[in-house]
Amino acid sequence: MIGAVGTAAFVSDRLIPNSLLSLPLIAATLVSTLITWWGVPRLRALKMGQVIRTEGPQGHLSKSGTPTMGGLLVVPVGVIIGGLVSSEGRSAQQLLAIALVTLAYMVIGGVDDWSSLTKRTNTGLTPRGKLLLQATAALLFLGWAGWQGWIAHTVSLPFNLELPLHWLIWPLALFVFLAESNATNLTDGLDGLASGCGALVFTGLALQLMLRGNAGDPALAGFCIAMAGCWLGFLIHNRNPAKVFMGDTGSLAMGAALSAVALLSDSLWPLLLMGGVFLAESVSVILQVWVFKATKGADGQGRRIFRMAPLHHHFELGGTPEQVVVPLFWLVTAGLVMLGLGLHTN
């Protein structure tokens, strides 16, 4: 994983003018690796052990007590290093806006995680309260971006097609924040799954921004690769068997950063395609709940499409080991990233 992302950044720097991806990637990976190594014992000392829901796969009960809220250790690393990529006017302001909304979602996730820990259950904030906080942070970001004229009112599609949305871009943008942050949150259910997929998607967004040439944005590309680096550094400690979990603290921040970059760089289509695993995880939950409610009988039981949602649990309960499911999902994400880059060049 680290080798593949590092190779992609190095090749970009060699072949694409103004590409400077290797340095922020290396810096973020090294710093996040060291900070996580230092921070895990501190999280354990603070008794921030994950509470595993009893209705989940029984094999996960052994993970109870693993330190969580690891996002607190690495999200600021990616944000700070990514923010140092550019100090020029517009780019610096955009990086600041992305950093603030990412940190805001980190705080929201932190409150949710802390609430779960203090209650000693796997439920923190109420779903409505959590969505309200996420929507508030997103609206503040969108208000700033709209005032500055940073968000295009059209969505670029493959083969030089465009979808004009006009004022509809704003409700779509809010939906993207809520959907993407909750999709990354749902994906964070197996050791290394969300951190690995997130690192690949951030790398894909960085590369497609550089492949645009003069229409690209090296500053946002640098931010993306720094976020990829922070998750790669975290992955070293988060891969199976995980020594630390990112928690909602990390997963919500990951989704917010992806959403903000995609909206400011007109990369909604690449995000949708490259983040296909996030989409599939989210859709699996929606379909499972909808079918169950639609078929629920007098006994309170309904039909299920999947053995368990999100999707990764379906494969687990089907007998596929976690150590196989996670690399498989990484491989799918890598394929979607390459497909997105291929469509971008056509």
Side-chain angles (χ1 to χ4, degrees):
M1 170 75 74
I2 295 177
V5 173
T7 299
F10 177 77
V11 171
S12 175
D13 289 353
R14 288 295 300 271
L15 300 180
I16 303 175
N18 300 321
S19 177
L20 296 171
L21 301 183
S22 298
L23 182 58
L25 173 66
I26 293 170
T29 302
L30 289 176
V31 174
S32 64
T33 300
L34 292 173
I35 286 184
T36 306
W37 173 78
W38 170 86
V40 168
R42 274 71 186 174
L43 294 176
R44 187 177 293 111
L46 291 171
K47 300 187 184 304
M48 292 186 176
Q50 177 72 48
V51 179
I52 304 297
R53 60 191 181 108
T54 55
E55 64 271 22
Q58 295 303 298
H60 287 211
L61 296 178
S62 61
K63 299 181 181 185
S64 181
T66 301
T68 188
M69 296 182 72
L72 286 174
L73 303 173
V74 297
V75 171
V77 172
V79 165
I80 291 171
I81 293 177
L84 294 174
V85 170
S86 176
S87 60
E88 298 179 0
R90 176 188 172 99
S91 294
Q93 290 183 40
Q94 289 187 340
L95 291 174
L96 176 60
I98 296 171
L100 290 176
V101 75
T102 301
L103 293 174
Y105 271 66
M106 183 190 75
V107 171
I108 294 168
V111 172
D112 190 38
D113 285 335
W114 184 255
S115 179
S116 295
L117 292 171
T118 54
K119 294 177 182 177
R120 302 307 301 167
T121 66
N122 195 251
T123 56
L125 296 171
T126 64
R128 181 176 297 180
K130 191 172 176 181
L131 277 175
L132 180 61
L133 290 172
Q134 290 173 276
T136 300
L139 287 171
L140 290 172
F141 171 85
L142 293 173
W144 186 356
W147 179 52
Q148 295 289 344
W150 291 338
I151 297 179
H153 290 186
T154 60
V155 175
S156 295
L157 302 173
F159 309 109
N160 296 318
L161 299 176
E162 289 188 344
L163 177 64
L165 292 178
H166 307 293
W167 64 268
L168 290 175
I169 190 66
W170 302 111
L172 174 62
L174 177 60
F175 173 78
V176 168
F177 266 104
L178 299 180
E180 189 68 26
S181 59
N182 284 290
T184 50
N185 182 225
L186 289 170
T187 306
D188 182 33
L190 298 179
D191 295 354
L193 180 55
S195 51
C197 290
L200 289 169
V201 176
F202 273 116
T203 301
L205 288 179
L207 292 174
Q208 66 92 20
L209 283 170
M210 293 312 306
L211 286 170
R212 292 183 186 182
N214 292 333
D217 193 321
L220 293 185
F223 180 89
C224 285
I225 206 67
M227 292 302 295
C230 86
W231 290 119
L232 286 176
F234 183 77
L235 180 62
I236 292 173
H237 306 276
N238 181 233
R239 69 183 189 274
N240 187 272
K243 299 179 179 65
V244 61
F245 300 140
M246 68 173 71
D248 287 14
T249 310
S251 60
L252 292 185
M254 177 189 292
L258 288 169
S259 301
V261 169
L263 286 164
L264 294 191
S265 62
D266 187 17
S267 299
L268 290 179
W269 170 254
L271 175 59
L272 179 67
L273 180 57
M274 295 178 184
V277 164
F278 299 143
L279 177 63
E281 295 274 44
S282 187
V283 169
S284 70
V285 173
I286 294 170
L287 289 176
Q288 185 87 323
V289 172
W290 182 79
V291 170
F292 183 85
K293 289 183 175 180
T295 60
K296 185 164 62 174
D299 59 354
Q301 296 299 311
R303 295 180 180 177
R304 291 178 170 85
I305 301 177
F306 306 101
R307 300 181 185 93
M308 181 178 288
L311 188 60
H312 54 261
H313 288 325
H314 172 77
F315 290 103
E316 264 195 297
L317 294 183
T320 306
E322 178 176 353
Q323 295 88 337
V324 175
V325 175
V326 172
L328 177 63
F329 278 42
W330 288 351
L331 187 61
V332 171
T333 300
L336 291 172
V337 166
M338 290 188 286
L339 178 60
L341 294 174
L343 288 175
H344 174 78
T345 57
N346 290 325

